[in-house]
Amino acid sequence: GKVYTFGPTFRAENSNTSRHLAEFWMIEPECAFFELEDNMALAEGLLRRVFTDVLHKCAEDMQFFKDRIEPTAISTLEGILNSPFRRVSYTEAVEVLLKSGHKFEFPVKWGIDLQSEHERYLTEKHFASPVILYDYPRG
């Protein structure tokens, strides 16, 4: 069956991103005999389920967020639900970023940790959909 671990995590690994310098909550699915494609499909399915439930079961809260905190709160989640999740290799993502002509604060080259600005460019500008990156190089 499917088993999930959900809890706080602290990582202080060798990373150039601020995301690994603090505590965060992480979901870790444990699924026997899963391959990479299976794990990507599981992650996509989980996100789609959570976003669907939030929009339907917490509509009043989402309206509050939309009205007072983030005007695009609902439309962003609806956009994710109505978009395919793109599966893109690390190498392809770096090629897209290098060919973009966009001036990034952190320059792009193969082998670096991708920064939030790179991820946002891929998801918001180039693909205009959720993106799952795979096949990162060994660090």
mmCIF file of all heavy atoms in Angstrom, residues 96-127:
data_model
loop_
_atom_site.group_PDB
_atom_site.id
_atom_site.type_symbol
_atom_site.label_atom_id
_atom_site.label_comp_id
_atom_site.label_asym_id
_atom_site.label_seq_id
_atom_site.Cartn_x
_atom_site.Cartn_y
_atom_site.Cartn_z
ATOM 1 N N VAL A 96 16.950 25.468 -21.592
ATOM 2 C CA VAL A 96 15.882 26.464 -21.729
ATOM 3 C C VAL A 96 16.313 27.779 -21.097
ATOM 4 O O VAL A 96 16.148 28.856 -21.685
ATOM 5 C CB VAL A 96 14.564 25.955 -21.086
ATOM 6 C CG1 VAL A 96 13.566 27.095 -20.897
ATOM 7 C CG2 VAL A 96 13.958 24.832 -21.910
ATOM 8 N N LEU A 97 16.871 27.708 -19.899
ATOM 9 C CA LEU A 97 17.297 28.913 -19.193
ATOM 10 C C LEU A 97 18.421 29.631 -19.936
ATOM 11 O O LEU A 97 18.412 30.862 -20.058
ATOM 12 C CB LEU A 97 17.738 28.562 -17.765
ATOM 13 C CG LEU A 97 16.631 28.046 -16.852
ATOM 14 C CD1 LEU A 97 17.219 27.446 -15.583
ATOM 15 C CD2 LEU A 97 15.621 29.127 -16.531
ATOM 16 N N LEU A 98 19.388 28.872 -20.462
ATOM 17 C CA LEU A 98 20.500 29.482 -21.185
ATOM 18 C C LEU A 98 20.030 30.151 -22.480
ATOM 19 O O LEU A 98 20.544 31.214 -22.859
ATOM 20 C CB LEU A 98 21.574 28.436 -21.495
ATOM 21 C CG LEU A 98 22.393 27.946 -20.302
ATOM 22 C CD1 LEU A 98 23.272 26.760 -20.704
ATOM 23 C CD2 LEU A 98 23.234 29.079 -19.719
ATOM 24 N N LYS A 99 19.064 29.565 -23.152
ATOM 25 C CA LYS A 99 18.568 30.105 -24.421
ATOM 26 C C LYS A 99 17.529 31.207 -24.226
ATOM 27 O O LYS A 99 17.129 31.844 -25.198
ATOM 28 C CB LYS A 99 17.952 28.981 -25.264
ATOM 29 C CG LYS A 99 18.972 27.983 -25.762
ATOM 30 C CD LYS A 99 18.289 26.862 -26.529
ATOM 31 C CE LYS A 99 19.282 25.805 -26.959
ATOM 32 N NZ LYS A 99 18.630 24.659 -27.603
ATOM 33 N N SER A 100 17.103 31.438 -22.998
ATOM 34 C CA SER A 100 16.000 32.372 -22.737
ATOM 35 C C SER A 100 16.359 33.821 -23.024
ATOM 36 O O SER A 100 15.476 34.625 -23.311
ATOM 37 C CB SER A 100 15.545 32.257 -21.279
ATOM 38 O OG SER A 100 16.518 32.822 -20.407
ATOM 39 N N GLY A 101 17.625 34.165 -22.890
ATOM 40 C CA GLY A 101 18.020 35.565 -23.037
ATOM 41 C C GLY A 101 17.672 36.392 -21.809
ATOM 42 O O GLY A 101 17.918 37.596 -21.776
ATOM 43 N N HIS A 102 17.101 35.755 -20.798
ATOM 44 C CA HIS A 102 16.708 36.447 -19.568
ATOM 45 C C HIS A 102 17.951 36.694 -18.710
ATOM 46 O O HIS A 102 18.826 35.853 -18.622
ATOM 47 C CB HIS A 102 15.690 35.591 -18.800
ATOM 48 C CG HIS A 102 15.116 36.260 -17.602
ATOM 49 N ND1 HIS A 102 14.074 37.150 -17.679
ATOM 50 C CD2 HIS A 102 15.439 36.167 -16.299
ATOM 51 C CE1 HIS A 102 13.781 37.579 -16.468
ATOM 52 N NE2 HIS A 102 14.598 36.991 -15.600
ATOM 53 N N LYS A 103 18.029 37.852 -18.083
ATOM 54 C CA LYS A 103 19.137 38.199 -17.190
ATOM 55 C C LYS A 103 18.771 37.746 -15.777
ATOM 56 O O LYS A 103 17.886 38.308 -15.148
ATOM 57 C CB LYS A 103 19.385 39.702 -17.224
ATOM 58 C CG LYS A 103 20.456 40.167 -16.286
ATOM 59 C CD LYS A 103 21.828 39.839 -16.805
ATOM 60 C CE LYS A 103 22.851 40.499 -15.893
ATOM 61 N NZ LYS A 103 24.069 39.788 -15.789
ATOM 62 N N PHE A 104 19.432 36.703 -15.304
ATOM 63 C CA PHE A 104 19.190 36.174 -13.970
ATOM 64 C C PHE A 104 20.196 36.744 -12.982
ATOM 65 O O PHE A 104 21.355 36.990 -13.338
ATOM 66 C CB PHE A 104 19.306 34.640 -13.965
ATOM 67 C CG PHE A 104 18.244 33.954 -14.770
ATOM 68 C CD1 PHE A 104 18.543 33.394 -16.007
ATOM 69 C CD2 PHE A 104 16.950 33.858 -14.294
ATOM 70 C CE1 PHE A 104 17.566 32.757 -16.755
ATOM 71 C CE2 PHE A 104 15.970 33.227 -15.032
ATOM 72 C CZ PHE A 104 16.273 32.671 -16.264
ATOM 73 N N GLU A 105 19.766 36.934 -11.746
ATOM 74 C CA GLU A 105 20.682 37.388 -10.696
ATOM 75 C C GLU A 105 21.793 36.356 -10.482
ATOM 76 O O GLU A 105 22.952 36.704 -10.307
ATOM 77 C CB GLU A 105 19.913 37.601 -9.382
ATOM 78 C CG GLU A 105 20.777 38.063 -8.238
ATOM 79 C CD GLU A 105 20.008 38.244 -6.939
ATOM 80 O OE1 GLU A 105 18.765 38.215 -6.946
ATOM 81 O OE2 GLU A 105 20.679 38.407 -5.902
ATOM 82 N N PHE A 106 21.401 35.078 -10.506
ATOM 83 C CA PHE A 106 22.368 33.992 -10.374
ATOM 84 C C PHE A 106 22.560 33.366 -11.756
ATOM 85 O O PHE A 106 21.624 32.765 -12.288
ATOM 86 C CB PHE A 106 21.868 32.934 -9.376
ATOM 87 C CG PHE A 106 21.745 33.448 -7.975
ATOM 88 C CD1 PHE A 106 20.536 33.939 -7.503
ATOM 89 C CD2 PHE A 106 22.850 33.458 -7.126
ATOM 90 C CE1 PHE A 106 20.410 34.418 -6.209
ATOM 91 C CE2 PHE A 106 22.733 33.935 -5.824
ATOM 92 C CZ PHE A 106 21.511 34.419 -5.369
ATOM 93 N N PRO A 107 23.736 33.513 -12.345
ATOM 94 C CA PRO A 107 23.964 32.974 -13.696
ATOM 95 C C PRO A 107 23.736 31.464 -13.751
ATOM 96 O O PRO A 107 23.963 30.742 -12.785
ATOM 97 C CB PRO A 107 25.431 33.315 -13.966
ATOM 98 C CG PRO A 107 25.747 34.439 -13.036
ATOM 99 C CD PRO A 107 24.896 34.212 -11.817
ATOM 100 N N VAL A 108 23.304 31.017 -14.920
ATOM 101 C CA VAL A 108 22.978 29.606 -15.132
ATOM 102 C C VAL A 108 24.127 28.920 -15.854
ATOM 103 O O VAL A 108 24.676 29.460 -16.809
ATOM 104 C CB VAL A 108 21.702 29.472 -15.989
ATOM 105 C CG1 VAL A 108 21.379 28.013 -16.262
ATOM 106 C CG2 VAL A 108 20.532 30.167 -15.323
ATOM 107 N N LYS A 109 24.487 27.755 -15.374
ATOM 108 C CA LYS A 109 25.382 26.869 -16.105
ATOM 109 C C LYS A 109 25.104 25.456 -15.624
ATOM 110 O O LYS A 109 24.613 25.251 -14.510
ATOM 111 C CB LYS A 109 26.859 27.253 -15.930
ATOM 112 C CG LYS A 109 27.423 27.012 -14.564
ATOM 113 C CD LYS A 109 28.908 27.350 -14.535
ATOM 114 C CE LYS A 109 29.463 26.969 -13.170
ATOM 115 N NZ LYS A 109 30.891 27.143 -13.078
ATOM 116 N N TRP A 110 25.401 24.484 -16.456
ATOM 117 C CA TRP A 110 25.116 23.098 -16.114
ATOM 118 C C TRP A 110 25.904 22.711 -14.870
ATOM 119 O O TRP A 110 27.073 23.010 -14.741
ATOM 120 C CB TRP A 110 25.456 22.174 -17.280
ATOM 121 C CG TRP A 110 24.802 20.844 -17.153
ATOM 122 C CD1 TRP A 110 23.604 20.476 -17.695
ATOM 123 C CD2 TRP A 110 25.282 19.699 -16.435
ATOM 124 N NE1 TRP A 110 23.304 19.179 -17.337
ATOM 125 C CE2 TRP A 110 24.325 18.678 -16.563
ATOM 126 C CE3 TRP A 110 26.420 19.450 -15.673
ATOM 127 C CZ2 TRP A 110 24.472 17.425 -15.981
ATOM 128 C CZ3 TRP A 110 26.567 18.207 -15.079
ATOM 129 C CH2 TRP A 110 25.593 17.206 -15.252
ATOM 130 N N GLY A 111 25.224 22.064 -13.934
ATOM 131 C CA GLY A 111 25.863 21.578 -12.724
ATOM 132 C C GLY A 111 25.562 22.397 -11.480
ATOM 133 O O GLY A 111 25.824 21.953 -10.373
ATOM 134 N N ILE A 112 25.009 23.613 -11.653
ATOM 135 C CA ILE A 112 24.691 24.452 -10.492
ATOM 136 C C ILE A 112 23.357 24.031 -9.884
ATOM 137 O O ILE A 112 22.544 23.380 -10.538
ATOM 138 C CB ILE A 112 24.623 25.955 -10.862
ATOM 139 C CG1 ILE A 112 23.446 26.204 -11.810
ATOM 140 C CG2 ILE A 112 25.927 26.444 -11.437
ATOM 141 C CD1 ILE A 112 22.967 27.632 -11.856
ATOM 142 N N ASP A 113 23.142 24.435 -8.633
ATOM 143 C CA ASP A 113 21.818 24.305 -8.031
ATOM 144 C C ASP A 113 20.933 25.363 -8.668
ATOM 145 O O ASP A 113 21.321 26.542 -8.724
ATOM 146 C CB ASP A 113 21.860 24.549 -6.524
ATOM 147 C CG ASP A 113 22.586 23.453 -5.761
ATOM 148 O OD1 ASP A 113 22.652 22.317 -6.278
ATOM 149 O OD2 ASP A 113 23.079 23.734 -4.659
ATOM 150 N N LEU A 114 19.762 24.983 -9.143
ATOM 151 C CA LEU A 114 18.850 25.975 -9.692
ATOM 152 C C LEU A 114 18.250 26.783 -8.551
ATOM 153 O O LEU A 114 17.907 26.245 -7.502
ATOM 154 C CB LEU A 114 17.752 25.310 -10.514
ATOM 155 C CG LEU A 114 18.233 24.570 -11.761
ATOM 156 C CD1 LEU A 114 17.052 24.008 -12.540
ATOM 157 C CD2 LEU A 114 19.074 25.465 -12.655
ATOM 158 N N GLN A 115 18.136 28.075 -8.760
ATOM 159 C CA GLN A 115 17.606 28.995 -7.761
ATOM 160 C C GLN A 115 16.107 29.202 -7.978
ATOM 161 O O GLN A 115 15.553 28.833 -9.021
ATOM 162 C CB GLN A 115 18.335 30.341 -7.863
ATOM 163 C CG GLN A 115 19.832 30.249 -7.698
ATOM 164 C CD GLN A 115 20.235 29.859 -6.291
ATOM 165 O OE1 GLN A 115 19.633 30.294 -5.311
ATOM 166 N NE2 GLN A 115 21.255 29.025 -6.176
ATOM 167 N N SER A 116 15.467 29.842 -7.011
ATOM 168 C CA SER A 116 14.029 30.132 -7.123
ATOM 169 C C SER A 116 13.725 30.922 -8.386
ATOM 170 O O SER A 116 12.714 30.677 -9.045
ATOM 171 C CB SER A 116 13.542 30.911 -5.905
ATOM 172 O OG SER A 116 13.633 30.127 -4.753
ATOM 173 N N GLU A 117 14.595 31.870 -8.742
ATOM 174 C CA GLU A 117 14.346 32.674 -9.943
ATOM 175 C C GLU A 117 14.355 31.805 -11.202
ATOM 176 O O GLU A 117 13.591 32.056 -12.134
ATOM 177 C CB GLU A 117 15.359 33.810 -10.065
ATOM 178 C CG GLU A 117 16.782 33.344 -10.305
ATOM 179 C CD GLU A 117 17.747 34.483 -10.549
ATOM 180 O OE1 GLU A 117 17.349 35.548 -11.074
ATOM 181 O OE2 GLU A 117 18.936 34.294 -10.220
ATOM 182 N N HIS A 118 15.171 30.773 -11.222
ATOM 183 C CA HIS A 118 15.214 29.868 -12.371
ATOM 184 C C HIS A 118 13.939 29.026 -12.414
ATOM 185 O O HIS A 118 13.340 28.838 -13.478
ATOM 186 C CB HIS A 118 16.435 28.946 -12.290
ATOM 187 C CG HIS A 118 17.724 29.681 -12.142
ATOM 188 N ND1 HIS A 118 18.709 29.271 -11.273
ATOM 189 C CD2 HIS A 118 18.197 30.810 -12.730
ATOM 190 C CE1 HIS A 118 19.735 30.109 -11.338
ATOM 191 N NE2 HIS A 118 19.444 31.049 -12.208
ATOM 192 N N GLU A 119 13.550 28.509 -11.251
ATOM 193 C CA GLU A 119 12.337 27.691 -11.182
ATOM 194 C C GLU A 119 11.111 28.507 -11.576
ATOM 195 O O GLU A 119 10.240 28.031 -12.304
ATOM 196 C CB GLU A 119 12.171 27.128 -9.766
ATOM 197 C CG GLU A 119 13.277 26.152 -9.393
ATOM 198 C CD GLU A 119 13.320 25.842 -7.906
ATOM 199 O OE1 GLU A 119 12.593 26.501 -7.113
ATOM 200 O OE2 GLU A 119 14.072 24.925 -7.527
ATOM 201 N N ARG A 120 11.052 29.740 -11.105
ATOM 202 C CA ARG A 120 9.902 30.600 -11.437
ATOM 203 C C ARG A 120 9.867 30.910 -12.941
ATOM 204 O O ARG A 120 8.800 30.953 -13.543
ATOM 205 C CB ARG A 120 9.952 31.887 -10.625
ATOM 206 C CG ARG A 120 9.673 31.612 -9.139
ATOM 207 C CD ARG A 120 9.483 32.883 -8.403
ATOM 208 N NE ARG A 120 8.210 33.451 -8.850
ATOM 209 C CZ ARG A 120 7.443 34.194 -8.101
ATOM 210 N NH1 ARG A 120 7.779 34.476 -6.882
ATOM 211 N NH2 ARG A 120 6.318 34.691 -8.569
ATOM 212 N N TYR A 121 11.022 31.143 -13.528
ATOM 213 C CA TYR A 121 11.053 31.397 -14.975
ATOM 214 C C TYR A 121 10.491 30.189 -15.724
ATOM 215 O O TYR A 121 9.675 30.336 -16.637
ATOM 216 C CB TYR A 121 12.482 31.704 -15.455
ATOM 217 C CG TYR A 121 12.518 31.970 -16.936
ATOM 218 C CD1 TYR A 121 12.278 33.239 -17.435
ATOM 219 C CD2 TYR A 121 12.740 30.934 -17.846
ATOM 220 C CE1 TYR A 121 12.264 33.486 -18.797
ATOM 221 C CE2 TYR A 121 12.730 31.161 -19.211
ATOM 222 C CZ TYR A 121 12.485 32.441 -19.685
ATOM 223 O OH TYR A 121 12.454 32.670 -21.038
ATOM 224 N N LEU A 122 10.928 29.000 -15.338
ATOM 225 C CA LEU A 122 10.467 27.786 -16.017
ATOM 226 C C LEU A 122 8.965 27.595 -15.866
ATOM 227 O O LEU A 122 8.262 27.304 -16.844
ATOM 228 C CB LEU A 122 11.203 26.558 -15.475
ATOM 229 C CG LEU A 122 12.695 26.488 -15.795
ATOM 230 C CD1 LEU A 122 13.366 25.411 -14.952
ATOM 231 C CD2 LEU A 122 12.929 26.241 -17.281
ATOM 232 N N THR A 123 8.458 27.764 -14.645
ATOM 233 C CA THR A 123 7.040 27.498 -14.399
ATOM 234 C C THR A 123 6.128 28.626 -14.861
ATOM 235 O O THR A 123 5.062 28.365 -15.416
ATOM 236 C CB THR A 123 6.765 27.221 -12.909
ATOM 237 O OG1 THR A 123 7.202 28.347 -12.137
ATOM 238 C CG2 THR A 123 7.468 25.969 -12.439
ATOM 239 N N GLU A 124 6.534 29.861 -14.642
ATOM 240 C CA GLU A 124 5.647 30.992 -14.915
ATOM 241 C C GLU A 124 5.771 31.550 -16.327
ATOM 242 O O GLU A 124 4.784 32.001 -16.900
ATOM 243 C CB GLU A 124 5.902 32.111 -13.902
ATOM 244 C CG GLU A 124 5.540 31.699 -12.483
ATOM 245 C CD GLU A 124 5.957 32.724 -11.435
ATOM 246 O OE1 GLU A 124 6.431 33.827 -11.813
ATOM 247 O OE2 GLU A 124 5.826 32.410 -10.242
ATOM 248 N N LYS A 125 6.972 31.523 -16.882
ATOM 249 C CA LYS A 125 7.163 32.144 -18.191
ATOM 250 C C LYS A 125 7.299 31.137 -19.337
ATOM 251 O O LYS A 125 6.608 31.217 -20.332
ATOM 252 C CB LYS A 125 8.375 33.072 -18.147
ATOM 253 C CG LYS A 125 8.194 34.265 -17.228
ATOM 254 C CD LYS A 125 9.279 35.276 -17.436
ATOM 255 C CE LYS A 125 9.217 36.512 -16.618
ATOM 256 N NZ LYS A 125 8.211 36.804 -15.722
ATOM 257 N N HIS A 126 8.217 30.195 -19.198
ATOM 258 C CA HIS A 126 8.487 29.296 -20.324
ATOM 259 C C HIS A 126 7.401 28.247 -20.531
ATOM 260 O O HIS A 126 6.838 28.148 -21.608
ATOM 261 C CB HIS A 126 9.851 28.624 -20.167
ATOM 262 C CG HIS A 126 10.217 27.797 -21.361
ATOM 263 N ND1 HIS A 126 10.709 28.366 -22.519
ATOM 264 C CD2 HIS A 126 10.130 26.463 -21.598
ATOM 265 C CE1 HIS A 126 10.907 27.414 -23.411
ATOM 266 N NE2 HIS A 126 10.581 26.255 -22.873
ATOM 267 N N PHE A 127 7.121 27.458 -19.496
ATOM 268 C CA PHE A 127 6.137 26.384 -19.639
ATOM 269 C C PHE A 127 4.730 26.819 -19.258
ATOM 270 O O PHE A 127 3.754 26.210 -19.695
ATOM 271 C CB PHE A 127 6.537 25.163 -18.806
ATOM 272 C CG PHE A 127 7.789 24.493 -19.287
ATOM 273 C CD1 PHE A 127 8.967 24.565 -18.566
ATOM 274 C CD2 PHE A 127 7.798 23.786 -20.487
ATOM 275 C CE1 PHE A 127 10.122 23.947 -19.008
ATOM 276 C CE2 PHE A 127 8.950 23.165 -20.950
ATOM 277 C CZ PHE A 127 10.115 23.249 -20.204
#
